[in-house]
Amino acid sequence: MKHLQRNQKSTLFFIMVIIIWQILPTIISIPSFILPTPIQILKALWKEKEQLFLIHLPVTFMESLLGLIISVLLGFIIAFMMHISLNIEQTLYPWMIISQTIPIIVLSPIVIMWFGYGLFAKIFIIFLISFFPVSMNVFQGLKSVDQGMLSLLQSYGATKKQIFFKIEIPHAIPFILSGIKMAAVFSIVGATLGEWLGSDSGLGYYSRRMSANLQADSSFAAVVNLALLGLFFHGFIQLIEKKFFRKYLPKERKI
């Protein structure tokens, strides 16, 4: 019932936005090459369906998926290393913060100069954007275990391995899943940015090409595909979360 009520509210808000969006350009005379209406976008989506769904969407999907997998694996390794060693934490933590203060758009030309315009450059850009939420969430989850409980287990002779797998990892699972969901969305941003800077396929490349031709409806159609891809990634991870990790998650907030 609670899920149904939340879905109804989201759907109602979405419908209101679409109606206002459809009416607004006509009322204040906004040209379609600046702000196309939802109907124009749907027409462009249908007209270019083969290019969008069969050519460009699979490219962006694979780039995002590979970048996400690498970001999750390396982010978890970084968090684990920081967790087990104070020296590593003090060494890596400041550099992780610094990596997030530099706009990726500034680093992207350097990345392309190093790695070219191929897949590896895009995966590297995705990693720069996506590893941080994974590593920080995992690290905070591992560090948030009650120290009194850890001291009690150690006094009973529990090994570090037992504590890590039976206490720290289960406690950190909500943090881990939250970090992965954030990274999944950021991976699409990274893939799109990489395609914008240099590519011959992908939704980012298609959107840039359409924008250069003042075909805003087709450019927005690519954005719709990116939004759907983000929802798919987020929904898939949420499905895994509820299927396999429900017992580790906090109780849902009452409305």
Side-chain angles (χ1 to χ4, degrees):
M1 182 62 71
K2 293 178 182 178
H3 289 292
L4 182 60
Q5 290 177 347
R6 280 198 290 267
N7 290 335
Q8 287 176 342
K9 292 176 182 178
S10 298
T11 303
L12 180 60
F13 178 76
F14 176 75
I15 292 172
M16 288 174 59
V17 170
I18 293 299
I19 291 173
I20 294 171
W21 186 354
Q22 180 65 37
I23 296 173
L24 189 62
T26 305
I27 295 176
I28 59 179
S29 301
I30 301 177
S32 61
F33 65 86
I34 294 178
L35 182 64
T37 64
I39 291 178
Q40 291 172 328
I41 295 170
L42 288 175
K43 288 180 179 178
L45 194 63
W46 177 255
K47 181 181 177 182
E48 303 291 337
K49 59 183 181 297
E50 290 187 3
Q51 283 198 60
L52 287 169
F53 292 105
L54 300 180
I55 298 175
H56 298 292
L57 179 60
V59 172
T60 304
F61 174 79
M62 287 305 302
E63 291 171 352
S64 302
L65 183 61
L66 289 173
L68 175 62
I69 292 171
I70 292 171
S71 297
V72 170
L73 292 176
L74 294 182
F76 193 92
I77 291 171
I78 292 170
F80 175 71
M81 292 171 60
M82 291 169 54
H83 176 62
I84 63 175
S85 172
L86 182 60
N87 288 330
I88 294 177
E89 177 188 347
Q90 293 174 341
T91 301
L92 293 183
Y93 194 89
W95 288 103
M96 291 174 61
I97 300 299
I98 290 172
S99 72
Q100 300 305 300
T101 60
I102 303 173
I104 299 299
I105 193 68
V106 176
L107 293 177
S108 297
I110 299 174
V111 173
I112 290 174
M113 185 171 60
W114 287 347
F115 305 115
Y117 291 99
L119 178 63
F120 191 78
K122 297 177 182 65
I123 289 177
F124 189 76
I125 292 173
I126 294 170
F127 169 75
L128 289 177
I129 295 176
S130 303
F131 88 96
F132 186 77
V134 176
S135 56
M136 290 307 300
N137 273 276
V138 174
F139 179 66
Q140 291 299 325
L142 294 173
K143 296 288 284 186
S144 63
V145 179
D146 182 67
Q147 293 300 313
M149 181 188 297
L150 295 180
S151 299
L152 179 63
L153 291 172
Q154 288 170 352
S155 69
Y156 280 109
T159 63
K160 290 183 178 181
K161 182 179 179 181
Q162 289 173 326
I163 291 174
F164 180 73
F165 284 104
K166 294 186 177 181
I167 300 297
E168 292 177 332
I169 285 292
H171 184 83
I173 281 176
F175 295 85
I176 295 171
L177 292 171
S178 178
I180 293 174
K181 283 189 283 189
M182 293 174 63
V185 177
F186 291 161
S187 69
I188 297 170
V189 175
T192 307
L193 178 58
E195 292 166 357
W196 261 82
L197 293 171
S199 182
D200 59 0
S201 60
L203 293 173
Y205 160 78
Y206 180 86
S207 177
R208 177 173 62 84
R209 184 161 62 87
M210 293 300 103
S211 297
N213 295 332
L214 298 180
Q215 294 178 258
D217 52 352
S218 297
S219 184
F220 270 87
V223 173
V224 170
N225 275 263
L226 289 168
L228 292 175
L229 186 57
L231 288 173
F232 170 77
F233 274 15
H234 187 276
F236 182 73
I237 296 168
Q238 202 165 38
L239 181 65
I240 293 175
E241 176 184 80
K242 292 181 179 180
K243 185 74 174 177
F244 300 103
F245 303 104
R246 181 183 292 273
K247 66 179 181 179
Y248 299 107
L249 302 176
K251 294 182 178 180
E252 292 186 358
R253 185 180 63 180
K254 294 182 179 180
I255 297 176

